[in-house]
Amino acid sequence: MARVLSCIQPTGEVHLGNYLGALRNWVSGQHENDVFHGIVDLHALTVTETPNVLGNQTLSLAAMLFAVGLDPAVATVFVQSHLPQHSQLAWIMECTVSFGELSRMTQFKDKAAKREADFVSAGLFTYPALQAADILLYDAHEVPVGDDQRQHIEITRDIAIRFNHRFGDTFVLPKAVTPKAGARVMDLQNPENKMSKSASGDAGIVYLLDDPASIERKFKRAVTDSDNEVRYDRTTKPGVSNLLEILATATNRTPEAVADAYTQYGPLKADTGAAVAEMLRPIRERHAELVNDRAELARLIRLGDERAEAVAAATLARAQAAIGFLPR
Ligand code: TYM
């Protein structure tokens, strides 16, 4: 049984990119693998400055992870800040990665640029070291993520190789797993950019909690191009290809097969909107039920935290012993 780990930040609402790029695959793999999924609130702190928001967002995200279908009987859902091992191993990771390697991370460059005159924390820069700790603590073989996280899994691998070389075989080398379609869902208004919580407007982002009418409206207004030919080609036709990929994932087909079924943009947009609204309807309904039962959510999180901590504590102890710190 492969050990699988992946995490999501509690920053803003979960969107279709998160779902198609990552969450959907977390759910589909949960019965074949031993799966751990973290709500990474420490990562969210890199861009959070307001008090009393992270806790509620963490709870709502936990409800969302169960609403999309993670089964607490088999999937371990935990909260990163509840486990001190993440911060403890992160420091060791920071000392195993170089300034140059961190400087090459595109997510850091993008986020720092978007924050312009805002505060750019050192945590935003060392973020991949904490992410490496998240992954390596669980001896994860596979990390199901969207395309944008591939670079962070690569650097985690490099860190693990370096640590193992310096201090002896300690960490499992992880590999990123991305879906064939949906690994990079683009913004419906700016199909050159990925759908992202930090994008400027909501019109191009489909949230999992959007009602069906707004979902259909967002797809009807999606930006395409002027040549009116339905063809799957991400380079020259990013808007149309994004719609084709989304509809393909919602209906279990390939984007090329979907393209063959349409000659005009209008019906493609309408059908994509309808299929996505239908796909998300049960998730929205289930989330509404779960989010109000705070006691049950707290119970499920406690269960996940305990299962996660047993694994994380053993790995941290192994890493500390490999380094050869003086035992307490
Ligand atoms: P986050 O919280 O931004 O996103 C969660 C997951 O959603 C995927 N994703 C997308 N996939 C396809 N198209 C998009 N437009 C899109 N936008 C987001 C992401 O690839 C991700 O899989 N650094 C991570 C969180 C993290 C993590 C980890 C992930 C922290 N520690 C350990 C894996 C393992 C992040 O910011 O994801």
Side-chain angles (χ1 to χ4, degrees):
M1 211 183 228
R3 173 66 64 71
V4 169
L5 170 127
S6 196
C7 304
I8 179 167
Q9 298 191 65
T11 42
E13 277 188 50
V14 180
H15 57 69
L16 190 63
N18 301 130
Y19 183 63
L20 297 181
L23 303 186
R24 219 166 53 115
N25 298 314
W26 299 5
V27 173
S28 65
Q30 67 181 332
H31 293 291
E32 290 81 59
N33 302 304
D34 185 19
V35 308
F36 286 75
H37 295 297
I39 299 176
V40 288
D41 49 354
L42 297 175
H43 277 104
L45 187 61
T46 57
V47 292
T48 303
E49 286 154 26
T50 322
N52 296 324
V53 296
L54 273 181
N56 283 331
Q57 288 182 349
T58 298
L59 208 61
S60 173
L61 181 52
M64 183 55 87
L65 297 187
F66 297 122
V68 299
L70 283 180
D71 173 0
V74 293
T76 297
V77 173
F78 64 91
V79 174
Q80 186 188 35
S81 70
H82 293 178
L83 276 63
Q85 294 81 8
H86 287 255
S87 311
Q88 286 174 281
L89 188 63
W91 176 254
I92 296 175
M93 299 291 100
E94 282 185 45
C95 298
T96 316
V97 68
S98 73
F99 180 85
E101 284 169 317
L102 291 176
S103 306
R104 288 195 284 277
M105 293 294 108
T106 35
Q107 181 170 300
F108 170 71
K109 289 191 254 183
D110 286 354
K111 285 198 180 177
K114 271 192 194 142
R115 292 181 72 74
E116 288 174 346
D118 288 342
F119 184 75
V120 176
S121 67
L124 199 58
F125 184 69
T126 59
Y127 180 115
L130 178 59
Q131 181 158 349
D134 300 338
I135 298 168
L136 300 182
L137 275 175
Y138 295 90
D139 292 331
H141 305 103
E142 294 179 5
V143 188
V145 284
D147 228 13
D148 62 321
Q149 292 300 316
R150 274 193 170 273
Q151 200 182 27
H152 287 165
I153 317 307
E154 282 307 311
I155 200 175
T156 299
R157 237 182 123 80
D158 294 343
I159 293 173
I161 291 171
R162 186 171 298 132
F163 186 101
N164 288 350
H165 183 68
R166 281 186 185 165
F167 300 113
D169 222 8
T170 306
F171 294 122
V172 170
L173 303 187
K175 77 167 196 291
V177 180
T178 49
K180 280 207 187 76
R184 195 169 182 81
V185 178
M186 309 310 273
D187 187 293
L188 299 184
Q189 290 298 315
N190 297 295
E192 258 98 52
N193 299 330
K194 69 170 182 182
M195 191 176 283
S196 157
K197 298 174 213 183
S198 53
S200 45
D202 275 352
I205 309 177
V206 176
Y207 294 104
L208 266 51
L209 297 180
D210 278 347
D211 58 72
S214 11
I215 295 176
E216 296 194 22
R217 196 169 49 246
K218 285 179 182 178
F219 277 102
K220 277 199 182 113
R221 294 184 187 159
V223 167
T224 40
D225 53 52
S226 51
D227 81 6
N228 272 318
E229 185 197 0
V230 178
R231 185 162 48 85
Y232 182 63
D233 180 343
R234 290 196 66 141
T235 318
T236 57
K237 299 179 74 74
V240 176
S241 301
N242 192 36
L243 295 177
L244 290 170
E245 268 202 42
I246 294 172
L247 184 52
T249 59
T251 54
N252 283 322
R253 285 180 286 171
T254 62
E256 291 83 0
V258 176
D260 286 346
Y262 292 90
T263 51
Q264 288 176 309
Y265 294 165
L268 172 64
K269 290 181 185 181
D271 287 0
T272 309
V276 170
E278 225 19 73
M279 175 176 74
L280 299 183
R281 184 191 302 278
I283 296 176
R284 190 168 48 100
E285 290 171 357
R286 181 118 185 87
H287 184 268
E289 276 167 35
L290 288 170
V291 80
N292 290 320
D293 196 347
R294 294 176 77 99
E296 175 62 3
L297 280 176
R299 187 185 73 81
L300 294 177
I301 289 172
R302 213 173 310 117
L303 196 78
D305 287 348
E306 282 166 12
R307 288 204 299 239
E309 189 157 23
V311 178
T315 314
L316 177 67
R318 204 168 70 224
Q320 289 170 329
I323 294 168
F325 285 132
L326 180 67
R328 272 179 81 179

